[in-house]
Amino acid sequence: MGSSSSNMDHIPDAQHLMQETGFSAAHLVRLYERFDFLDKDDRGELRLDDFEAVSELAMNPIGDRIIRAFFSPGRETVDFPSFVRILAHFRPTDTNRTRNGRNGAQPEPANSRTNKLKFAFQLYDQDRDGKISREELLQVLRAMLEMQVTEEQLQSIAERAIQEADLDLDDTISFDEFKKSLEKVDIEHKMSIRFLE
Amino acid sequence: MAWFTFPADNLLCRCLGISITVWFTLLFVFIIMPAVLGVSFGIRSFYMRTLLKIFEWATLRMELGAKEKNQELYKPLRSEPEFEMADIFYFCRRGVESIVDDEVTKRFSAQELKSWNLLTRSNYNFRHISLRLTVLWGLGILIRYGVLLPLRVTLAVTGICLLLVLTTLVAFLPNAELRSYLSEKVHLMCYRICVRALTAIITYHNRYMIFSNGGICVANHTTPIDVIILANDGCYSLVGQVHGGLMGMVQRAMVKSSSHIWFERSEVKDRHLVAKRLGDHVADKTKQPILVFPEGTCINNTSVMMFKKGSFEIGCTVYPVAIKYDPRFGDAFWNSSKFGMVSYLLRMMSSWAIVCSVWYLPPMNREEGEDAVQFANRVKAAIAAQGGLVDLIWDGGLKRAKVKDVFKEEQQKLYSKVLVGRLSVH
């Protein structure tokens, strides 16, 4: 009776994770169940093919980029703490968090606006050099549109996007330029998902 | 009880004997006789109404005592006309949402219930809210496993034995007409007993849609007990694979008195053979309509997946039937990769009840210029519309296979339309 992993004992380092990511105990249990479900061979960690088995993700044009975001550079597996840390970026921003977190000891939470933007930036910047080049932008556009537009249309879309965002005219978009171009966008809303309890 | 020598034991056995007799008499009078005769005392509907009241009370208490509110999963909104840099967020969020809770996988895992129906296996977040609720839950366990389960197992065993015995007897009759008439009665009777064994409370809608022989009944498939639910109300010829063991015995017994189509495992792969046998059966007007579940795998009753086109190619009248289970009483869904058949049946028999509705829909025929797939989709849409089920374009085989690229293209098409809409504004 009851779900098998419905208590916190199975989760390694639960308290620490909760503090770090801001997830509640119930959320963490839910995510652990999901992690367990995705981990088909019960290895305790996820690999590429576990993610690829999520069919709706395979259907997503940038699915492979999102999957790669879970894997730290050089690693081929994702353990539960890493899984949760990435998902923490998508927690809705805490509206009641007071702004006196400038006492130095508090690092910025994973779901702050800046960190959400950083996550999105990395989806574009696959070689992690801190800039989105024209080629990287084109790759993303191609993934999202593929057969639906011609190559010229793709180029012109990319061109316009770079022109509008590139302020220091170095033909790439740095993180600050990226942030600036999305000033007016409601990131908190677009990059948050409600985690079901 | 001559073999007991102690007087105390004598008294004990006598009490036991009496209680067992009383038990069986009650069982016979209130459950088996009505099943045999086809009448109903209304006990089950009363039971259902009482249960519902208790559940509502329990839910209220839980909501009052709950510390945090239940949150809904966000459905992604269409992006408003903005710069393209932000568009990636839409796909990104969709992607992460599917990692956290895959829509298709959600269809396959049991529905989360808003209302807590005192079965911890449905609400995965059973928390110790109040003493009263815990006591109620404990009482529920006692009743379900101590009273209801043995009762139901007895009934199920009775039903199956009766089926085996009576069908064999009927098969000996020389007169074909009498034989088919009696076999109908026997089948119906045994299904009625089985239905009571599961405490299934079924509401049939549109029963005036009488289907004549020589057609195919098509229904959406949620659980293995769909067959019992439907066969309770009419006589069908079943189609399926030959099983071993008890199922095999039942199958062989059924074939003796009425015609069913059982395939060997090897024959199932041969689509032409399957189509031919189905076609022959349908062409014979004296035979009962065939019952087919085109989806081919158990879906969890919130959606109707892509129907396989085999049964629609035969070209006869199709009678759609929609089955919908009420999730408040117990989740009838069978995840075959997680639970075996026996453990599934045990779960079913220790639930409170299985409440479902069956709708009979008007017959449909394949129209001019429609191919089998389009016909199948039309039937599926009709069933989904009636049952309030979500019409998914996914193929039921997805549960264990990977998705096709065709769906990725759909996503890209939709996104490009958004862009084109913006470009024309500039």
Side-chain angles (χ1 to χ4, degrees):
Chain A
M1 273 139 290
S3 183
S4 53
S5 53
S6 60
N7 49 24
M8 300 277 283
D9 304 340
H10 294 257
I11 304 176
D13 217 14
Q15 288 299 328
H16 185 74
L17 266 179
M18 275 167 62
Q19 256 175 346
E20 206 188 310
T21 58
F23 279 120
S24 70
H27 283 151
L28 217 59
V29 166
R30 194 60 152 66
L31 287 174
Y32 188 76
E33 280 170 12
R34 179 68 182 165
F35 182 84
D36 208 29
F37 172 78
L38 290 173
D39 179 15
K40 294 281 189 285
D41 301 328
D42 269 325
R43 266 179 259 121
E45 43 189 24
L46 298 177
R47 290 198 326 202
L48 258 182
D49 45 7
D50 290 322
F51 281 104
E52 281 165 0
V54 176
S55 36
E56 218 184 72
L57 197 57
M59 184 181 116
N60 193 313
I62 55 166
D64 50 345
R65 287 167 185 259
I66 298 174
I67 295 176
R68 252 175 279 148
F70 278 84
F71 293 82
S72 322
R75 298 211 49 186
E76 295 196 349
T77 55
V78 180
D79 60 7
F80 182 65
S82 319
F83 182 67
V84 173
R85 279 188 205 114
I86 301 281
L87 290 178
H89 289 294
F90 287 84
R91 265 187 61 230
T93 352
D94 308 312
T95 43
N96 50 6
R97 192 169 62 92
T98 48
R99 284 238 152 252
N100 58 359
R102 294 268 152 257
N103 52 8
Q106 293 273 31
E108 225 177 300
N111 62 340
S112 70
R113 189 189 162 88
T114 314
N115 281 328
K116 285 183 199 281
L117 281 171
K118 274 208 192 120
F119 186 83
F121 188 77
Q122 272 179 356
L123 287 178
Y124 281 102
D125 181 24
Q126 289 286 292
D127 61 4
R128 314 233 174 170
D129 64 351
K131 298 180 190 297
I132 304 177
S133 66
R134 184 184 300 257
E135 186 51 44
E136 283 170 337
L137 189 57
L138 268 174
Q139 275 169 8
V140 173
L141 283 170
R142 236 174 252 132
M144 295 205 283
L145 289 169
E146 229 179 295
M147 312 285 252
Q148 310 305 321
V149 293
T150 65
E151 188 60 33
E152 288 110 5
Q153 282 174 312
L154 268 184
Q155 296 278 354
S156 74
I157 294 175
E159 187 61 51
R160 198 172 330 121
I162 292 205
Q163 274 175 3
E164 277 163 350
D166 185 17
L167 301 166
D168 60 2
L169 299 171
D170 63 350
D171 220 23
T172 62
I173 304 177
S174 70
F175 179 63
D176 289 321
E177 288 166 348
F178 184 69
K179 210 159 76 160
K180 192 130 199 341
S181 75
L182 293 170
E183 249 175 357
K184 305 223 177 62
V185 174
D186 184 8
I187 305 290
E188 283 84 3
H189 174 232
K190 285 187 182 298
M191 285 281 279
S192 297
I193 68 182
R194 292 253 197 244
F195 290 90
L196 238 196
E197 251 186 57
Chain B
M1 311 284 164
W3 55 89
F4 286 101
T5 49
F6 298 110
D9 274 338
N10 231 339
L11 189 64
L12 187 66
C13 326
R14 211 179 292 168
C15 286
L16 212 62
I18 294 177
S19 53
I20 291 184
T21 321
V22 167
W23 171 261
F24 272 107
T25 319
L26 280 176
L27 202 77
F28 190 70
V29 168
F30 283 109
I31 301 185
I32 298 190
M33 274 321 287
V36 167
L37 299 172
V39 297
S40 170
F41 282 137
I43 298 179
R44 281 176 294 157
S45 5
F46 172 72
Y47 172 66
M48 181 177 93
R49 284 195 297 272
T50 321
L51 274 182
L52 268 177
K53 289 210 182 69
I54 299 181
F55 292 164
E56 275 165 24
W57 174 85
T59 313
L60 219 63
R61 288 225 54 105
M62 197 181 88
E63 278 174 356
L64 285 173
K67 295 186 184 85
E68 290 175 60
K69 277 194 280 222
N70 271 345
Q71 295 169 334
E72 303 281 359
L73 240 191
Y74 240 67
K75 285 287 166 222
L77 306 162
R78 282 260 150 250
S79 44
E80 296 106 5
E82 273 181 35
F83 284 132
E84 177 270 325
M85 294 299 282
D87 289 345
I88 204 177
F89 294 161
Y90 168 67
F91 289 113
C92 178
R93 189 171 75 173
R94 282 284 295 264
V96 176
E97 266 175 354
S98 60
I99 291 181
V100 171
D101 205 339
D102 188 342
E103 164 129 349
V104 173
T105 313
K106 203 152 48 122
R107 305 260 175 232
F108 287 117
S109 56
Q111 276 177 298
E112 299 265 325
L113 286 187
K114 291 267 179 63
S115 135
W116 185 56
N117 68 359
L118 299 175
L119 288 173
T120 39
R121 55 178 105 108
S122 285
N123 185 335
Y124 300 129
N125 297 316
F126 168 57
R127 271 187 248 117
H128 185 111
I129 306 276
S130 74
L131 184 64
R132 221 184 290 184
L133 275 186
T134 318
V135 164
L136 196 64
W137 173 71
L139 205 67
I141 295 254
L142 230 81
I143 298 180
R144 276 192 293 126
Y145 282 88
V147 176
L148 292 178
L149 185 60
L151 172 71
R152 288 176 184 159
V153 171
T154 322
L155 278 174
V157 167
T158 318
I160 295 185
C161 289
L162 272 180
L163 183 72
L164 288 173
V165 166
L166 288 177
T167 45
T168 320
L169 284 179
V170 167
F172 283 127
L173 289 175
N175 187 342
E177 239 184 69
L178 185 64
R179 198 167 56 212
S180 64
Y181 174 74
L182 273 184
S183 94
E184 246 186 63
K185 294 293 167 217
V186 163
H187 272 110
L188 277 177
M189 180 183 91
C190 296
Y191 281 121
R192 279 197 286 261
I193 298 183
C194 286
V195 157
R196 280 161 171 79
L198 293 166
T199 316
I201 304 167
I202 312 171
T203 321
Y204 294 99
H205 304 264
N206 303 342
R207 291 182 80 199
Y208 53 81
M209 300 281 183
I210 311 164
F211 29 86
S212 50
N213 290 343
I216 296 191
C217 267
V218 155
N220 61 318
H221 192 35
T222 309
T223 70
I225 56 179
D226 283 342
V227 175
I228 303 180
I229 306 255
L230 286 180
N232 184 38
D233 197 39
C235 283
Y236 301 94
S237 291
L238 304 175
V239 179
Q241 242 180 33
V242 168
H243 286 100
L246 183 63
M247 271 302 296
M249 268 173 63
V250 172
Q251 283 178 327
R252 283 192 295 274
M254 284 166 73
V255 166
K256 286 189 193 135
S257 51
S258 62
S259 57
H260 299 277
I261 307 180
W262 305 122
F263 289 105
E264 297 292 333
R265 220 193 174 93
S266 49
E267 290 174 337
V268 173
K269 298 269 167 64
D270 187 350
R271 280 184 53 205
H272 293 292
L273 179 64
V274 169
K276 184 170 185 313
R277 281 184 71 176
L278 287 178
D280 286 343
H281 185 107
V282 161
D284 185 349
K285 293 296 175 192
T286 62
K287 297 211 173 126
Q288 296 146 342
I290 307 181
L291 183 58
V292 171
F293 298 101
E295 277 159 308
T297 189
C298 284
I299 318 296
N300 92 354
N301 205 226
T302 49
S303 56
V304 173
M305 295 223 164
M306 200 186 266
F307 272 14
K308 296 215 191 310
K309 57 179 181 143
S311 9
F312 300 91
E313 280 170 339
I314 301 176
C316 56
T317 320
V318 164
Y319 301 92
V321 180
I323 311 176
K324 175 110 179 100
Y325 290 82
D326 190 336
R328 287 176 298 179
F329 287 90
D331 187 24
F333 169 61
W334 182 37
N335 188 341
S336 55
S337 42
K338 228 175 160 192
F339 299 109
M341 181 55 138
V342 179
S343 89
Y344 168 73
L345 281 177
L346 278 178
R347 266 166 64 108
M348 283 301 103
M349 293 206 192
S350 57
S351 304
W352 288 112
I354 296 172
V355 179
C356 57
S357 295
V358 174
W359 286 274
Y360 294 107
L361 301 169
M364 294 170 110
N365 276 300
R366 195 158 90 182
E367 278 162 14
E368 291 284 331
E370 209 180 27
D371 72 354
V373 174
Q374 289 165 332
F375 182 39
N377 283 333
R378 203 157 54 89
V379 171
K380 179 190 62 138
I383 293 183
Q386 182 56 263
L389 306 164
V390 173
D391 194 346
L392 277 190
I393 50 171
W394 298 97
D395 191 332
L398 263 184
K399 194 160 70 168
R400 300 175 193 104
K402 285 201 167 160
V403 76
K404 301 170 185 118
D405 280 321
V406 111
F407 294 125
K408 194 190 247 187
E409 220 186 281
E410 295 246 336
Q411 285 275 292
Q412 291 162 334
K413 254 192 221 145
L414 288 170
Y415 176 61
S416 72
K417 286 209 182 83
V418 171
L419 277 198
V420 166
R422 288 189 217 150
L423 285 175
S424 58
V425 169
H426 286 137

mmCIF file of all heavy atoms in Angstrom, chain B residues 40-53 196 199-203 329 353-355:
data_model
loop_
_atom_site.group_PDB
_atom_site.id
_atom_site.type_symbol
_atom_site.label_atom_id
_atom_site.label_comp_id
_atom_site.label_asym_id
_atom_site.label_seq_id
_atom_site.Cartn_x
_atom_site.Cartn_y
_atom_site.Cartn_z
ATOM 1 N N SER B 40 -31.867 -7.118 -10.138
ATOM 2 C CA SER B 40 -30.945 -6.406 -9.259
ATOM 3 C C SER B 40 -31.704 -5.855 -8.068
ATOM 4 O O SER B 40 -32.800 -5.315 -8.211
ATOM 5 C CB SER B 40 -30.296 -5.269 -10.033
ATOM 6 O OG SER B 40 -29.577 -4.445 -9.145
ATOM 7 N N PHE B 41 -31.137 -6.027 -6.880
ATOM 8 C CA PHE B 41 -31.770 -5.482 -5.694
ATOM 9 C C PHE B 41 -31.427 -4.017 -5.464
ATOM 10 O O PHE B 41 -31.962 -3.400 -4.585
ATOM 11 C CB PHE B 41 -31.335 -6.283 -4.449
ATOM 12 C CG PHE B 41 -32.051 -7.582 -4.313
ATOM 13 C CD1 PHE B 41 -31.367 -8.710 -3.952
ATOM 14 C CD2 PHE B 41 -33.409 -7.676 -4.552
ATOM 15 C CE1 PHE B 41 -32.024 -9.923 -3.822
ATOM 16 C CE2 PHE B 41 -34.073 -8.876 -4.425
ATOM 17 C CZ PHE B 41 -33.375 -10.016 -4.064
ATOM 18 N N GLY B 42 -30.468 -3.531 -6.228
ATOM 19 C CA GLY B 42 -30.059 -2.146 -6.016
ATOM 20 C C GLY B 42 -29.077 -1.982 -4.874
ATOM 21 O O GLY B 42 -28.823 -0.884 -4.417
ATOM 22 N N ILE B 43 -28.528 -3.103 -4.415
ATOM 23 C CA ILE B 43 -27.592 -3.014 -3.299
ATOM 24 C C ILE B 43 -26.351 -2.250 -3.708
ATOM 25 O O ILE B 43 -25.820 -1.427 -2.971
ATOM 26 C CB ILE B 43 -27.176 -4.427 -2.816
ATOM 27 C CG1 ILE B 43 -28.395 -5.182 -2.308
ATOM 28 C CG2 ILE B 43 -26.147 -4.326 -1.706
ATOM 29 C CD1 ILE B 43 -28.082 -6.567 -1.847
ATOM 30 N N ARG B 44 -25.891 -2.543 -4.929
ATOM 31 C CA ARG B 44 -24.643 -1.928 -5.335
ATOM 32 C C ARG B 44 -24.771 -0.430 -5.522
ATOM 33 O O ARG B 44 -23.849 0.325 -5.213
ATOM 34 C CB ARG B 44 -24.118 -2.578 -6.617
ATOM 35 C CG ARG B 44 -23.433 -3.917 -6.332
ATOM 36 C CD ARG B 44 -22.988 -4.613 -7.593
ATOM 37 N NE ARG B 44 -24.133 -5.005 -8.396
ATOM 38 C CZ ARG B 44 -24.069 -5.228 -9.697
ATOM 39 N NH1 ARG B 44 -22.944 -5.095 -10.344
ATOM 40 N NH2 ARG B 44 -25.148 -5.587 -10.370
ATOM 41 N N SER B 45 -25.890 0.049 -6.040
ATOM 42 C CA SER B 45 -26.016 1.500 -6.218
ATOM 43 C C SER B 45 -26.078 2.192 -4.877
ATOM 44 O O SER B 45 -25.516 3.272 -4.689
ATOM 45 C CB SER B 45 -27.226 1.884 -7.055
ATOM 46 O OG SER B 45 -27.986 0.774 -7.368
ATOM 47 N N PHE B 46 -26.736 1.527 -3.920
ATOM 48 C CA PHE B 46 -26.786 2.100 -2.573
ATOM 49 C C PHE B 46 -25.378 2.181 -1.993
ATOM 50 O O PHE B 46 -24.968 3.196 -1.417
ATOM 51 C CB PHE B 46 -27.678 1.225 -1.692
ATOM 52 C CG PHE B 46 -27.657 1.617 -0.253
ATOM 53 C CD1 PHE B 46 -28.270 2.785 0.180
ATOM 54 C CD2 PHE B 46 -27.009 0.830 0.695
ATOM 55 C CE1 PHE B 46 -28.245 3.168 1.502
ATOM 56 C CE2 PHE B 46 -26.976 1.207 2.018
ATOM 57 C CZ PHE B 46 -27.590 2.373 2.418
ATOM 58 N N TYR B 47 -24.640 1.106 -2.170
ATOM 59 C CA TYR B 47 -23.255 1.029 -1.705
ATOM 60 C C TYR B 47 -22.431 2.154 -2.308
ATOM 61 O O TYR B 47 -21.669 2.842 -1.642
ATOM 62 C CB TYR B 47 -22.728 -0.349 -2.111
ATOM 63 C CG TYR B 47 -21.266 -0.597 -1.911
ATOM 64 C CD1 TYR B 47 -20.702 -0.631 -0.651
ATOM 65 C CD2 TYR B 47 -20.439 -0.861 -3.008
ATOM 66 C CE1 TYR B 47 -19.364 -0.902 -0.485
ATOM 67 C CE2 TYR B 47 -19.108 -1.129 -2.845
ATOM 68 C CZ TYR B 47 -18.578 -1.151 -1.582
ATOM 69 O OH TYR B 47 -17.248 -1.421 -1.427
ATOM 70 N N MET B 48 -22.638 2.346 -3.626
ATOM 71 C CA MET B 48 -21.864 3.372 -4.315
ATOM 72 C C MET B 48 -22.172 4.750 -3.758
ATOM 73 O O MET B 48 -21.291 5.559 -3.514
ATOM 74 C CB MET B 48 -22.187 3.312 -5.810
ATOM 75 C CG MET B 48 -21.427 4.318 -6.632
ATOM 76 S SD MET B 48 -21.793 4.135 -8.363
ATOM 77 C CE MET B 48 -23.110 5.268 -8.569
ATOM 78 N N ARG B 49 -23.446 5.028 -3.535
ATOM 79 C CA ARG B 49 -23.811 6.359 -3.041
ATOM 80 C C ARG B 49 -23.216 6.595 -1.662
ATOM 81 O O ARG B 49 -22.713 7.676 -1.354
ATOM 82 C CB ARG B 49 -25.331 6.528 -3.020
ATOM 83 C CG ARG B 49 -25.935 6.764 -4.394
ATOM 84 C CD ARG B 49 -27.350 7.276 -4.280
ATOM 85 N NE ARG B 49 -28.226 6.296 -3.640
ATOM 86 C CZ ARG B 49 -28.864 5.347 -4.302
ATOM 87 N NH1 ARG B 49 -28.737 5.233 -5.605
ATOM 88 N NH2 ARG B 49 -29.640 4.500 -3.651
ATOM 89 N N THR B 50 -23.269 5.568 -0.820
ATOM 90 C CA THR B 50 -22.689 5.716 0.524
ATOM 91 C C THR B 50 -21.195 5.996 0.450
ATOM 92 O O THR B 50 -20.676 6.881 1.124
ATOM 93 C CB THR B 50 -22.900 4.426 1.339
ATOM 94 O OG1 THR B 50 -24.173 3.901 1.069
ATOM 95 C CG2 THR B 50 -22.722 4.691 2.813
ATOM 96 N N LEU B 51 -20.527 5.220 -0.391
ATOM 97 C CA LEU B 51 -19.089 5.415 -0.553
ATOM 98 C C LEU B 51 -18.772 6.831 -0.979
ATOM 99 O O LEU B 51 -17.863 7.468 -0.468
ATOM 100 C CB LEU B 51 -18.547 4.444 -1.604
ATOM 101 C CG LEU B 51 -18.146 3.052 -1.136
ATOM 102 C CD1 LEU B 51 -17.591 2.295 -2.316
ATOM 103 C CD2 LEU B 51 -17.105 3.141 -0.050
ATOM 104 N N LEU B 52 -19.543 7.338 -1.936
ATOM 105 C CA LEU B 52 -19.290 8.685 -2.438
ATOM 106 C C LEU B 52 -19.396 9.708 -1.334
ATOM 107 O O LEU B 52 -18.572 10.608 -1.214
ATOM 108 C CB LEU B 52 -20.287 9.029 -3.548
ATOM 109 C CG LEU B 52 -19.821 8.717 -4.959
ATOM 110 C CD1 LEU B 52 -20.908 9.041 -5.956
ATOM 111 C CD2 LEU B 52 -18.565 9.503 -5.286
ATOM 112 N N LYS B 53 -20.409 9.540 -0.485
ATOM 113 C CA LYS B 53 -20.565 10.503 0.616
ATOM 114 C C LYS B 53 -19.356 10.466 1.537
ATOM 115 O O LYS B 53 -18.845 11.490 1.974
ATOM 116 C CB LYS B 53 -21.834 10.184 1.421
ATOM 117 C CG LYS B 53 -23.114 10.497 0.698
ATOM 118 C CD LYS B 53 -24.236 10.888 1.665
ATOM 119 C CE LYS B 53 -25.523 11.163 0.919
ATOM 120 N NZ LYS B 53 -26.135 9.951 0.317
ATOM 121 N N ARG B 196 -20.400 -9.108 -10.354
ATOM 122 C CA ARG B 196 -20.594 -8.897 -8.934
ATOM 123 C C ARG B 196 -19.346 -9.256 -8.153
ATOM 124 O O ARG B 196 -19.087 -8.701 -7.095
ATOM 125 C CB ARG B 196 -21.775 -9.725 -8.448
ATOM 126 C CG ARG B 196 -23.095 -9.068 -8.772
ATOM 127 C CD ARG B 196 -24.228 -10.069 -8.710
ATOM 128 N NE ARG B 196 -25.516 -9.416 -8.804
ATOM 129 C CZ ARG B 196 -26.070 -8.982 -9.931
ATOM 130 N NH1 ARG B 196 -25.432 -9.132 -11.067
ATOM 131 N NH2 ARG B 196 -27.247 -8.391 -9.914
ATOM 132 N N THR B 199 -17.541 -6.279 -7.905
ATOM 133 C CA THR B 199 -18.401 -5.161 -7.520
ATOM 134 C C THR B 199 -18.297 -4.053 -8.562
ATOM 135 O O THR B 199 -17.863 -2.940 -8.281
ATOM 136 C CB THR B 199 -18.024 -4.619 -6.134
ATOM 137 O OG1 THR B 199 -17.800 -5.697 -5.266
ATOM 138 C CG2 THR B 199 -19.172 -3.789 -5.577
ATOM 139 N N ALA B 200 -18.629 -4.399 -9.761
ATOM 140 C CA ALA B 200 -18.600 -3.414 -10.829
ATOM 141 C C ALA B 200 -20.003 -2.846 -10.974
ATOM 142 O O ALA B 200 -20.964 -3.578 -11.141
ATOM 143 C CB ALA B 200 -18.161 -4.063 -12.133
ATOM 144 N N ILE B 201 -20.091 -1.556 -10.864
ATOM 145 C CA ILE B 201 -21.382 -0.889 -10.990
ATOM 146 C C ILE B 201 -21.381 -0.201 -12.340
ATOM 147 O O ILE B 201 -20.713 0.801 -12.543
ATOM 148 C CB ILE B 201 -21.565 0.118 -9.850
ATOM 149 C CG1 ILE B 201 -21.393 -0.629 -8.530
ATOM 150 C CG2 ILE B 201 -22.921 0.749 -9.920
ATOM 151 C CD1 ILE B 201 -21.244 0.292 -7.357
ATOM 152 N N ILE B 202 -22.136 -0.789 -13.247
ATOM 153 C CA ILE B 202 -22.037 -0.352 -14.644
ATOM 154 C C ILE B 202 -23.330 0.322 -15.045
ATOM 155 O O ILE B 202 -24.417 -0.170 -14.761
ATOM 156 C CB ILE B 202 -21.815 -1.549 -15.568
ATOM 157 C CG1 ILE B 202 -20.705 -2.436 -15.010
ATOM 158 C CG2 ILE B 202 -21.458 -1.077 -16.956
ATOM 159 C CD1 ILE B 202 -20.581 -3.732 -15.735
ATOM 160 N N THR B 203 -23.208 1.428 -15.688
ATOM 161 C CA THR B 203 -24.385 2.114 -16.230
ATOM 162 C C THR B 203 -24.305 2.028 -17.742
ATOM 163 O O THR B 203 -23.344 2.488 -18.351
ATOM 164 C CB THR B 203 -24.380 3.600 -15.823
ATOM 165 O OG1 THR B 203 -23.910 3.713 -14.489
ATOM 166 C CG2 THR B 203 -25.768 4.168 -15.921
ATOM 167 N N PHE B 329 -13.368 5.718 -7.566
ATOM 168 C CA PHE B 329 -13.556 4.524 -6.762
ATOM 169 C C PHE B 329 -12.386 3.577 -6.771
ATOM 170 O O PHE B 329 -12.318 2.660 -6.011
ATOM 171 C CB PHE B 329 -14.809 3.783 -7.224
ATOM 172 C CG PHE B 329 -16.046 4.489 -6.825
ATOM 173 C CD1 PHE B 329 -16.616 5.428 -7.657
ATOM 174 C CD2 PHE B 329 -16.600 4.257 -5.594
ATOM 175 C CE1 PHE B 329 -17.744 6.113 -7.266
ATOM 176 C CE2 PHE B 329 -17.733 4.935 -5.200
ATOM 177 C CZ PHE B 329 -18.307 5.856 -6.034
ATOM 178 N N ALA B 353 -14.850 -0.432 -5.340
ATOM 179 C CA ALA B 353 -15.797 -0.835 -6.381
ATOM 180 C C ALA B 353 -15.223 -0.377 -7.700
ATOM 181 O O ALA B 353 -14.306 0.423 -7.738
ATOM 182 C CB ALA B 353 -17.154 -0.180 -6.150
ATOM 183 N N ILE B 354 -15.777 -0.899 -8.753
ATOM 184 C CA ILE B 354 -15.370 -0.409 -10.067
ATOM 185 C C ILE B 354 -16.611 0.187 -10.698
ATOM 186 O O ILE B 354 -17.569 -0.521 -10.998
ATOM 187 C CB ILE B 354 -14.818 -1.553 -10.920
ATOM 188 C CG1 ILE B 354 -13.562 -2.080 -10.257
ATOM 189 C CG2 ILE B 354 -14.497 -1.066 -12.310
ATOM 190 C CD1 ILE B 354 -13.035 -3.320 -10.904
ATOM 191 N N VAL B 355 -16.594 1.466 -10.856
ATOM 192 C CA VAL B 355 -17.772 2.141 -11.398
ATOM 193 C C VAL B 355 -17.459 2.604 -12.796
ATOM 194 O O VAL B 355 -16.469 3.286 -13.025
ATOM 195 C CB VAL B 355 -18.136 3.351 -10.517
ATOM 196 C CG1 VAL B 355 -19.339 4.065 -11.092
ATOM 197 C CG2 VAL B 355 -18.414 2.893 -9.102
#
